[in-house]
Amino acid sequence: MKATLRLRLSAHDAHYGGGLVDGARDEGLFRAYESVEFLAPLHAGDFVEVEAELVATGKTSRKVKFEARKYISPRPDLSDSAAEVLAEPVVVCRAVGTCVTPAAKQRR
């Protein structure tokens, strides 16, 4: 099973100089990551597509493989609201992790 989410990173997401966005936008409960590769930076104004694939399930766990790609970048040199669709999306991160659901909170 795969799911895809697209979002625009705002100035609120930037935590570092130059509008750089940190590498953690995790809203779930992850027990562990097997691997994480940060391959390119993201900045406020970038549009990102994240694809998640469920690769294994257990009684209370789910192993998920992620890939995040930047597909639109801001063009502040043209104007404050200008943006450019990239000819090819840039892979910015790949990860594999295991999320958990406490046994008492599982749906039956």
Side-chain angles (χ1 to χ4, degrees):
M1 173 189 310
K2 285 186 181 182
T4 302
L5 172 69
R6 284 186 168 184
L7 62 123
R8 179 181 180 269
L9 300 173
S10 72
H12 179 73
D13 297 312
H15 297 286
Y16 302 103
L20 188 64
V21 175
D22 67 16
R25 257 189 87 101
D26 180 47
E27 296 180 13
L29 177 59
F30 268 81
R31 185 173 188 278
Y33 283 97
E34 289 178 28
S35 64
V36 177
E37 298 175 89
F38 294 110
L39 303 168
L42 288 172
H43 297 90
D46 286 337
F47 286 73
V48 181
E49 176 180 84
V50 180
E51 185 176 272
E53 180 180 4
L54 181 63
V55 294
T57 60
K59 187 174 180 179
T60 62
S61 65
R62 308 289 182 264
K63 183 176 177 179
V64 184
K65 185 166 89 172
F66 300 96
E67 184 171 282
R69 296 174 289 274
K70 174 172 46 175
Y71 64 99
I72 297 176
S73 285
R75 289 290 309 268
D77 56 315
L78 299 177
S79 78
D80 288 342
S81 61
E84 172 183 32
V85 177
L86 303 176
E88 291 291 324
V90 175
V91 176
V92 297
C93 183
R94 289 189 185 107
V96 177
T98 302
C99 63
V100 296
T101 304
K105 295 188 178 193
Q106 289 184 33
R107 293 183 189 173
R108 295 178 187 210

Coordinates of all heavy atoms in Angstrom, one line a residue, residues 1-66:
M1 N 0.8 -1.2 0.0 CA 0.0 0.0 0.0 C 0.9 1.2 0.0 O 1.9 1.3 0.7 CB -0.9 0.0 1.2 CG -1.7 1.3 1.4 SD -2.6 1.5 2.9 CE -3.5 0.0 3.1
K2 N 0.5 2.2 -0.9 CA 1.3 3.5 -1.0 C 0.4 4.6 -0.7 O -0.8 4.6 -1.1 CB 1.9 3.6 -2.3 CG 3.1 2.7 -2.6 CD 3.8 3.1 -3.9 CE 5.0 2.2 -4.1 NZ 5.6 2.5 -5.4
A3 N 0.9 5.7 -0.2 CA 0.2 7.0 0.0 C 1.2 8.1 -0.4 O 2.4 8.0 -0.1 CB -0.3 7.1 1.4
T4 N 0.6 9.2 -0.9 CA 1.4 10.3 -1.3 C 0.8 11.6 -0.7 O -0.4 11.7 -0.8 CB 1.5 10.4 -2.9 OG1 2.0 9.2 -3.4 CG2 2.4 11.6 -3.3
L5 N 1.7 12.4 -0.2 CA 1.2 13.7 0.4 C 2.1 14.8 -0.3 O 3.3 14.7 -0.4 CB 1.5 13.7 1.9 CG 1.3 15.0 2.6 CD1 -0.2 15.3 2.7 CD2 1.8 14.8 4.1
R6 N 1.4 15.9 -0.7 CA 2.1 17.0 -1.2 C 1.8 18.2 -0.3 O 0.7 18.4 0.1 CB 1.6 17.3 -2.6 CG 2.1 16.4 -3.7 CD 1.7 16.9 -5.0 NE 2.5 16.1 -6.0 CZ 2.4 16.3 -7.3 NH1 1.6 17.3 -7.8 NH2 3.2 15.6 -8.1
L7 N 2.8 19.0 -0.1 CA 2.7 20.2 0.8 C 3.7 21.2 0.4 O 4.7 21.0 -0.2 CB 2.8 19.8 2.2 CG 4.1 19.3 2.7 CD1 4.6 20.1 3.8 CD2 3.9 17.8 3.2
R8 N 3.4 22.5 0.8 CA 4.3 23.6 0.6 C 4.9 23.9 2.0 O 4.1 24.0 3.0 CB 3.6 24.8 0.1 CG 4.5 26.0 -0.1 CD 3.7 27.2 -0.6 NE 4.6 28.4 -0.7 CZ 4.8 29.3 0.2 NH1 4.2 29.2 1.4 NH2 5.6 30.3 0.0
L9 N 6.2 24.0 2.0 CA 6.8 24.4 3.3 C 6.8 25.9 3.4 O 7.1 26.6 2.5 CB 8.3 23.9 3.3 CG 8.4 22.4 3.1 CD1 9.9 22.0 2.9 CD2 7.8 21.7 4.3
S10 N 6.3 26.4 4.6 CA 6.1 27.8 4.8 C 7.3 28.4 5.6 O 8.1 27.6 6.2 CB 4.8 28.0 5.5 OG 4.9 27.6 6.9
A11 N 7.3 29.7 5.8 CA 8.2 30.3 6.7 C 8.1 29.8 8.1 O 9.1 29.7 8.8 CB 8.1 31.8 6.6
H12 N 6.9 29.4 8.5 CA 6.7 28.8 9.9 C 7.5 27.5 10.0 O 7.9 27.2 11.2 CB 5.2 28.6 10.1 CG 4.9 28.0 11.4 ND1 5.0 28.7 12.6 CD2 4.6 26.7 11.8 CE1 4.7 27.9 13.6 NE2 4.4 26.7 13.1
D13 N 7.8 26.8 8.9 CA 8.5 25.5 9.0 C 10.0 25.7 9.1 O 10.7 24.8 9.5 CB 8.2 24.6 7.8 CG 6.7 24.2 7.7 OD1 6.2 23.8 8.7 OD2 6.1 24.4 6.6
A14 N 10.5 26.9 8.7 CA 11.9 27.2 8.7 C 12.4 27.4 10.1 O 11.8 28.2 10.9 CB 12.2 28.4 7.8
H15 N 13.5 26.7 10.5 CA 14.1 26.9 11.8 C 15.5 27.3 11.8 O 16.1 27.5 12.9 CB 14.0 25.6 12.6 CG 12.6 25.1 12.8 ND1 11.7 25.7 13.7 CD2 11.8 24.2 12.2 CE1 10.5 25.1 13.7 NE2 10.6 24.2 12.8
Y16 N 16.1 27.5 10.6 CA 17.5 27.8 10.5 C 17.7 29.0 9.6 O 16.8 29.4 8.8 CB 18.3 26.6 10.0 CG 18.1 25.4 10.9 CD1 17.3 24.4 10.5 CD2 18.8 25.4 12.1 CE1 17.2 23.3 11.3 CE2 18.6 24.2 12.9 CZ 17.8 23.2 12.5 OH 17.7 22.1 13.3
G17 N 18.9 29.6 9.6 CA 19.2 30.7 8.7 C 19.0 30.4 7.3 O 19.1 29.2 6.9
G18 N 18.6 31.4 6.5 CA 18.4 31.2 5.1 C 17.1 30.5 4.7 O 16.9 30.0 3.6
G19 N 16.2 30.4 5.7 CA 14.9 29.7 5.5 C 15.0 28.2 5.4 O 14.1 27.5 4.9
L20 N 16.1 27.6 5.9 CA 16.3 26.2 5.9 C 15.3 25.5 6.8 O 15.1 25.9 8.0 CB 17.7 25.9 6.3 CG 18.2 24.4 6.1 CD1 18.2 24.0 4.6 CD2 19.6 24.2 6.7
V21 N 14.7 24.4 6.3 CA 13.7 23.6 7.1 C 14.4 22.4 7.7 O 15.3 21.8 7.1 CB 12.6 23.2 6.2 CG1 11.6 22.3 6.9 CG2 11.9 24.4 5.6
D22 N 14.1 22.1 9.0 CA 14.8 20.9 9.6 C 14.2 19.6 9.0 O 13.2 19.6 8.3 CB 14.6 20.9 11.1 CG 13.2 20.7 11.6 OD1 12.3 20.3 10.8 OD2 12.9 21.0 12.8
G23 N 14.9 18.5 9.3 CA 14.6 17.3 8.6 C 13.5 16.5 9.3 O 13.3 15.3 9.0
A24 N 12.8 17.0 10.3 CA 11.8 16.2 11.1 C 10.5 16.9 11.0 O 10.3 17.9 11.7 CB 12.3 16.0 12.5
R25 N 9.6 16.3 10.3 CA 8.2 16.8 10.3 C 7.3 15.6 10.7 O 6.2 15.4 10.2 CB 7.8 17.3 8.9 CG 7.7 18.8 8.9 CD 7.1 19.2 7.6 NE 5.7 19.3 7.7 CZ 5.0 20.4 7.8 NH1 5.6 21.5 7.9 NH2 3.7 20.4 7.8
D26 N 7.8 14.8 11.6 CA 7.2 13.5 11.9 C 6.1 13.8 12.9 O 6.3 14.4 14.0 CB 8.2 12.6 12.6 CG 7.7 11.3 13.0 OD1 6.9 10.7 12.2 OD2 7.9 10.9 14.1
E27 N 4.9 13.4 12.6 CA 3.7 13.6 13.5 C 3.2 12.3 14.0 O 2.2 12.2 14.7 CB 2.6 14.3 12.7 CG 3.0 15.7 12.3 CD 1.9 16.4 11.5 OE1 0.8 16.0 11.5 OE2 2.3 17.4 10.9
G28 N 3.9 11.2 13.7 CA 3.5 9.9 14.2 C 4.4 9.4 15.3 O 5.3 10.1 15.7
L29 N 4.2 8.2 15.8 CA 5.0 7.6 16.9 C 5.9 6.6 16.2 O 5.5 5.5 15.9 CB 4.1 7.0 17.9 CG 4.9 6.3 19.1 CD1 5.8 7.2 19.8 CD2 3.9 5.6 20.0
F30 N 7.1 7.0 15.9 CA 8.1 6.1 15.3 C 9.0 5.5 16.4 O 9.5 6.2 17.3 CB 8.9 6.8 14.3 CG 8.3 6.6 12.9 CD1 7.3 7.4 12.5 CD2 8.8 5.6 12.1 CE1 6.7 7.3 11.3 CE2 8.2 5.5 10.8 CZ 7.2 6.3 10.4
R31 N 9.1 4.2 16.4 CA 9.9 3.5 17.4 C 11.4 3.6 17.0 O 12.3 3.8 17.8 CB 9.5 2.0 17.5 CG 10.3 1.3 18.6 CD 9.7 -0.1 18.8 NE 10.2 -0.8 19.9 CZ 11.4 -1.4 19.9 NH1 12.1 -1.4 18.8 NH2 11.9 -1.9 21.0
A32 N 11.7 3.4 15.7 CA 13.0 3.4 15.2 C 13.1 3.7 13.7 O 12.1 3.3 13.0 CB 13.7 2.1 15.5
Y33 N 14.2 4.2 13.3 CA 14.5 4.3 11.9 C 15.6 3.4 11.6 O 16.6 3.4 12.3 CB 14.9 5.7 11.5 CG 13.7 6.7 11.4 CD1 13.4 7.5 12.5 CD2 12.9 6.7 10.3 CE1 12.3 8.4 12.4 CE2 11.8 7.6 10.2 CZ 11.5 8.4 11.2 OH 10.5 9.3 11.2
E34 N 15.5 2.5 10.5 CA 16.5 1.7 10.1 C 17.6 2.5 9.3 O 18.8 2.2 9.4 CB 16.0 0.6 9.2 CG 15.2 -0.5 9.9 CD 14.7 -1.5 8.9 OE1 15.3 -1.8 7.9 OE2 13.6 -2.1 9.2
S35 N 17.1 3.4 8.5 CA 18.0 4.3 7.7 C 17.3 5.6 7.5 O 16.1 5.7 7.3 CB 18.3 3.6 6.4 OG 17.2 3.4 5.6
V36 N 18.1 6.6 7.4 CA 17.7 8.0 7.0 C 18.8 8.6 6.2 O 19.9 8.6 6.6 CB 17.4 8.9 8.2 CG1 17.0 10.3 7.8 CG2 16.3 8.3 9.1
E37 N 18.5 9.0 5.0 CA 19.5 9.7 4.1 C 18.9 11.1 3.8 O 17.9 11.2 3.1 CB 19.6 9.0 2.8 CG 20.2 7.6 2.9 CD 20.2 6.9 1.6 OE1 21.2 7.1 0.9 OE2 19.2 6.3 1.2
F38 N 19.6 12.1 4.3 CA 19.2 13.5 3.9 C 20.1 13.8 2.7 O 21.3 13.9 2.8 CB 19.5 14.5 5.0 CG 18.5 14.2 6.2 CD1 19.0 13.7 7.4 CD2 17.2 14.5 6.1 CE1 18.2 13.5 8.4 CE2 16.3 14.3 7.1 CZ 16.8 13.8 8.3
L39 N 19.5 14.0 1.5 CA 20.2 14.1 0.3 C 20.3 15.5 -0.3 O 21.2 15.8 -1.1 CB 19.6 13.2 -0.8 CG 19.5 11.7 -0.3 CD1 18.6 10.9 -1.3 CD2 20.9 11.1 -0.2
A40 N 19.4 16.4 0.1 CA 19.4 17.8 -0.4 C 18.6 18.6 0.6 O 17.7 18.1 1.3 CB 18.7 17.9 -1.8
P41 N 18.9 19.9 0.7 CA 18.2 20.8 1.7 C 16.8 21.2 1.2 O 16.5 21.2 0.0 CB 19.1 22.0 1.8 CG 19.8 22.1 0.5 CD 20.0 20.6 0.1
L42 N 15.9 21.5 2.1 CA 14.6 22.1 1.8 C 14.6 23.5 2.5 O 15.1 23.7 3.5 CB 13.5 21.2 2.4 CG 13.3 19.9 1.7 CD1 12.3 19.1 2.4 CD2 12.8 20.2 0.2
H43 N 13.9 24.4 1.8 CA 13.8 25.8 2.3 C 12.3 26.2 2.3 O 11.5 25.6 1.6 CB 14.6 26.7 1.4 CG 16.0 26.5 1.4 ND1 16.6 25.6 0.5 CD2 17.0 26.9 2.2 CE1 17.9 25.5 0.8 NE2 18.2 26.3 1.8
A44 N 12.0 27.2 3.0 CA 10.7 27.8 3.0 C 10.3 28.1 1.6 O 11.1 28.7 0.9 CB 10.6 29.0 3.9
G45 N 9.1 27.8 1.2 CA 8.6 28.0 -0.1 C 8.7 26.8 -1.1 O 8.1 26.8 -2.1
D46 N 9.5 25.8 -0.7 CA 9.6 24.6 -1.5 C 8.3 23.8 -1.5 O 7.6 23.8 -0.4 CB 10.8 23.7 -1.0 CG 12.1 24.2 -1.4 OD1 12.3 25.0 -2.3 OD2 13.1 23.8 -0.7
F47 N 8.0 23.2 -2.5 CA 6.8 22.3 -2.6 C 7.4 20.8 -2.6 O 8.3 20.5 -3.3 CB 6.0 22.4 -3.8 CG 5.1 23.7 -3.8 CD1 5.7 24.9 -3.9 CD2 3.8 23.6 -3.6 CE1 4.9 26.1 -3.9 CE2 3.0 24.7 -3.6 CZ 3.5 26.0 -3.8
V48 N 6.9 20.0 -1.7 CA 7.5 18.7 -1.5 C 6.4 17.6 -1.6 O 5.2 17.8 -1.2 CB 8.0 18.6 0.0 CG1 8.7 17.2 0.2 CG2 9.1 19.7 0.2
E49 N 6.8 16.5 -2.2 CA 5.9 15.3 -2.3 C 6.6 14.2 -1.5 O 7.8 13.9 -1.8 CB 5.8 14.9 -3.8 CG 5.0 13.7 -4.0 CD 4.9 13.3 -5.5 OE1 5.9 12.7 -6.0 OE2 3.9 13.7 -6.1
V50 N 5.8 13.6 -0.6 CA 6.4 12.5 0.2 C 5.5 11.3 -0.1 O 4.3 11.3 -0.1 CB 6.3 12.8 1.7 CG1 6.8 11.7 2.5 CG2 7.0 14.1 2.0
E51 N 6.2 10.2 -0.5 CA 5.6 9.0 -0.8 C 6.0 8.0 0.3 O 7.1 7.9 0.6 CB 6.0 8.4 -2.2 CG 5.3 7.2 -2.6 CD 5.7 6.7 -4.0 OE1 5.1 7.2 -4.9 OE2 6.7 5.9 -4.1
A52 N 5.0 7.3 0.9 CA 5.2 6.3 1.9 C 4.6 5.0 1.4 O 3.5 5.0 0.9 CB 4.5 6.8 3.2
E53 N 5.4 4.0 1.7 CA 4.9 2.6 1.3 C 5.0 1.7 2.5 O 6.0 1.6 3.1 CB 5.8 2.1 0.2 CG 5.4 0.7 -0.3 CD 6.3 0.2 -1.4 OE1 7.3 0.8 -1.8 OE2 6.0 -1.0 -1.9
L54 N 3.9 1.1 2.8 CA 3.8 0.1 3.9 C 4.5 -1.2 3.4 O 4.0 -1.8 2.4 CB 2.4 -0.2 4.3 CG 2.1 -1.1 5.4 CD1 2.7 -0.6 6.7 CD2 0.6 -1.4 5.6
V55 N 5.6 -1.6 4.0 CA 6.3 -2.7 3.5 C 6.2 -4.0 4.4 O 6.5 -5.1 3.9 CB 7.8 -2.4 3.2 CG1 7.9 -1.4 2.1 CG2 8.5 -1.9 4.5
A56 N 5.8 -3.8 5.6 CA 5.6 -5.0 6.5 C 4.7 -4.5 7.7 O 4.6 -3.4 8.1 CB 6.9 -5.5 7.1
T57 N 3.9 -5.5 8.2 CA 3.0 -5.2 9.3 C 3.2 -6.3 10.4 O 3.5 -7.5 10.1 CB 1.5 -5.2 8.9 OG1 1.2 -6.5 8.4 CG2 1.2 -4.1 7.9
G58 N 3.1 -5.9 11.6 CA 3.1 -6.8 12.7 C 1.9 -6.6 13.6 O 1.0 -5.9 13.2
K59 N 1.9 -7.2 14.8 CA 0.7 -7.1 15.6 C 0.5 -5.6 16.1 O -0.7 -5.1 16.1 CB 0.8 -8.0 16.8 CG -0.4 -8.0 17.7 CD -0.2 -9.1 18.8 CE -1.5 -9.1 19.6 NZ -1.4 -10.1 20.7
T60 N 1.6 -4.9 16.4 CA 1.5 -3.5 16.9 C 2.4 -2.6 16.1 O 2.6 -1.5 16.5 CB 1.8 -3.4 18.4 OG1 3.1 -3.8 18.6 CG2 0.8 -4.2 19.2
S61 N 3.0 -3.1 15.0 CA 4.0 -2.2 14.3 C 3.7 -2.3 12.8 O 3.1 -3.2 12.3 CB 5.4 -2.8 14.6 OG 5.5 -4.1 14.1
R62 N 4.2 -1.2 12.2 CA 4.2 -1.1 10.7 C 5.5 -0.6 10.3 O 6.0 0.4 10.8 CB 3.1 -0.1 10.3 CG 1.7 -0.3 10.9 CD 1.1 -1.5 10.3 NE -0.3 -1.7 10.8 CZ -0.6 -2.4 11.9 NH1 0.3 -3.1 12.5 NH2 -1.9 -2.5 12.3
K63 N 6.1 -1.3 9.3 CA 7.4 -0.8 8.7 C 7.1 0.0 7.4 O 6.3 -0.5 6.6 CB 8.3 -2.0 8.4 CG 9.6 -1.7 7.8 CD 10.5 -2.9 7.6 CE 11.8 -2.6 7.0 NZ 12.6 -3.9 6.8
V64 N 7.6 1.2 7.4 CA 7.2 2.1 6.3 C 8.5 2.6 5.6 O 9.5 2.9 6.3 CB 6.4 3.3 6.8 CG1 6.0 4.2 5.7 CG2 5.2 2.8 7.6
K65 N 8.5 2.6 4.3 CA 9.6 3.2 3.5 C 9.1 4.5 2.9 O 8.0 4.6 2.4 CB 9.9 2.2 2.3 CG 11.1 2.6 1.5 CD 11.6 1.4 0.7 CE 10.9 1.5 -0.7 NZ 11.4 0.5 -1.6
F66 N 10.0 5.6 3.0 CA 9.6 6.9 2.6 C 10.6 7.4 1.6 O 11.8 7.1 1.6 CB 9.7 7.9 3.8 CG 8.8 7.6 4.9 CD1 9.3 6.9 6.0 CD2 7.5 8.0 4.9 CE1 8.5 6.6 7.1 CE2 6.7 7.7 6.0 CZ 7.1 7.0 7.1

